[in-house]
Amino acid sequence: MTEKLQEIIDNSKSTVFFGGAGISTESGIPDFRSVDGLYNQKYDVPPEVILSHTYFMNHTKEFFDFYRDKMLALWAKPNAAHTKLAQLEKNGKLDCVITQNIDGLHQAAGSKNVLELHGSVHRNYCMKCGKSYSAEYILESKGIPRCTCSGIIKPDVVLYEEPLDEFVTKSAVRAIQRADTLIISGTSLTVYPAAGMIYYFGGRNLVLINRDSTPADSSADLVIHGKAGEVFSKINA
Ligand code: NAD
C-alpha cells in the first residue's frame, strides 16, 4: 500500500494534502469522533455546542474554560505526518496543505503553504480594538481573556455557526481543482462546509489515509486504513 502511495506521489505533477484532527492524534491531541475523542469524553454540553458562536457569546467564561483545557495544546509537537508533509513541500512534491486543524503543527513542522480552513489558536484578536494576542497569553489568562482596552479577546478559530474565511476557502478550492493527486487523511469528512471541498477534485489520484473508514472510501483510488504518522514515516520525501 505505501509503495503504491510512493509511486503516486513520485509521478504526480501536483499533489495537495487535505487533513483533519486525526493528523494530530499522534501528537497527543484528541480528535472529536474517535473512541477516545472529545465527543466520547463526559461533558454536560457536547463539544460542538461549546465550540459554537452562540455558546461563545452567551457563556464566554465556560467557553474559555473548555478551550484552554481541550483546544489549546501548546505543548504538542509535530509528528511524523506533519514532518514528512513539510519535507515533501520543500522537495517540490507537495503544493499545499489544507487543514481543518487549528493547532499550527504543520507550520511548526516547517510547512509554508498551509491553508487553515478553521483558523488557528495562534491568532487572537480583541473584539473591540483588534489588538492581537498570542496563544500563550490566552492560556495564561484567567476567566475571560481581556485586552488592555477591556475588550474580550477572541481566538481566530471558526466556531460552529460561523462562516469560513472566503480567501482561504477560495484558495483551497483552487488548489484542489488544479491538483493531480489529493491525499485526504485524519478526517471523518463529516464537518461541512470543509468536508465538501473534496468534491472539487477532478484529478487522477484520490488517496485516503485514515484510521477508520470515511464516506469517500468508495470513490478513492487508494485507501490505506492506518495511522497517518506511521504511513508517512514509510514515504521517501
Ligand atoms: P474528526 O474527529 O471528525 O475525525 C477524525 C478522523 O481521523 C477519524 O475518522 C479517525 O478515524 C481519524 N484518525 C484519528 N487518528 C488518526 C491517525 N493517527 N491517523 C489517521 N487517521 C486518524 O476530525 P475532523 O474531521 O477533522 O473534524 C473535527 C473538527 O474539529 C475539525 O473541524 C477540526 O478543525 C476540529 N478539531 C481540530 C483539532 C486540532 O486542531 N488538532 C482537534 C480536534 C478537533
Side-chain angles (χ1 to χ4, degrees):
M1 290 290 202
T2 43
E3 294 80 12
K4 178 78 182 145
L5 175 60
Q6 183 79 55
E7 195 187 309
I8 288 175
I9 292 173
D10 290 345
N11 295 318
S12 173
K13 286 193 197 76
S14 160
T15 299
V16 165
F17 178 84
F18 180 92
I23 286 301
S24 295
T25 54
E26 288 163 89
S27 295
I29 305 178
D31 62 15
F32 276 3
R33 288 169 191 82
S34 296
V35 274
D36 52 353
L38 285 180
Y39 282 126
N40 293 307
Q41 298 177 16
K42 294 265 177 288
Y43 291 104
D44 293 341
V45 186
E48 68 191 346
V49 173
I50 302 177
L51 295 171
S52 69
H53 184 79
T54 306
Y55 195 86
F56 175 85
M57 298 307 281
N58 297 339
H59 305 272
T60 315
K61 185 191 170 296
E62 291 79 3
F63 169 91
F64 276 109
D65 289 344
F66 178 89
Y67 181 81
R68 279 191 203 94
D69 187 28
K70 296 294 170 194
M71 306 307 290
L72 262 187
L74 300 185
W75 42 264
K77 299 271 176 282
N79 63 52
H82 299 105
T83 308
K84 195 55 63 80
L85 288 164
Q87 287 167 355
L88 285 166
E89 182 190 356
K90 192 162 176 248
N91 296 343
K93 290 186 180 177
L94 184 74
D95 289 3
C96 72
V97 165
I98 301 169
T99 184
Q100 299 167 82
N101 294 347
I102 56 173
D103 54 33
L105 289 183
H106 285 292
Q107 291 92 332
S111 285
K112 302 279 179 245
N113 199 2
V114 183
L115 295 168
E116 296 172 310
L117 295 175
H118 294 161
S120 172
V121 298
H122 294 288
R123 296 185 296 269
N124 303 276
Y125 301 103
C126 170
M127 293 171 77
K128 208 160 129 192
C129 74
K131 187 174 172 186
S132 77
Y133 287 87
S134 69
E136 288 75 13
Y137 183 89
I138 304 293
L139 184 66
E140 282 154 22
S141 61
K142 301 269 177 284
I144 301 172
R146 296 270 176 189
C147 178
T148 44
C149 81
S150 86
I152 295 171
I153 304 167
K154 185 175 185 289
D156 186 16
V157 301
V158 180
L159 300 174
Y160 288 93
E161 306 163 354
E162 291 178 346
L164 303 190
D165 179 273
E166 207 180 314
F167 177 76
V168 177
T169 312
K170 280 188 177 157
S171 305
V173 167
R174 260 199 307 274
I176 290 173
Q177 281 173 332
R178 273 200 304 258
D180 200 19
T181 298
L182 179 64
I183 304 174
I184 302 171
S185 186
T187 171
S188 59
L189 293 174
T190 52
V191 178
Y192 280 79
M197 298 233 154
I198 67 160
Y199 300 121
Y200 289 99
F201 180 64
R204 272 192 308 161
N205 311 297
L206 181 66
V207 179
L208 258 154
I209 308 166
N210 212 51
R211 219 188 39 207
D212 304 305
S213 46
T214 75
D217 282 18
S218 55
S219 38
D221 300 287
L222 174 65
V223 178
I224 303 177
H225 282 150
K227 290 187 172 181
E230 288 176 10
V231 172
F232 275 106
S233 60
K234 294 186 192 131
I235 295 297
N236 295 315

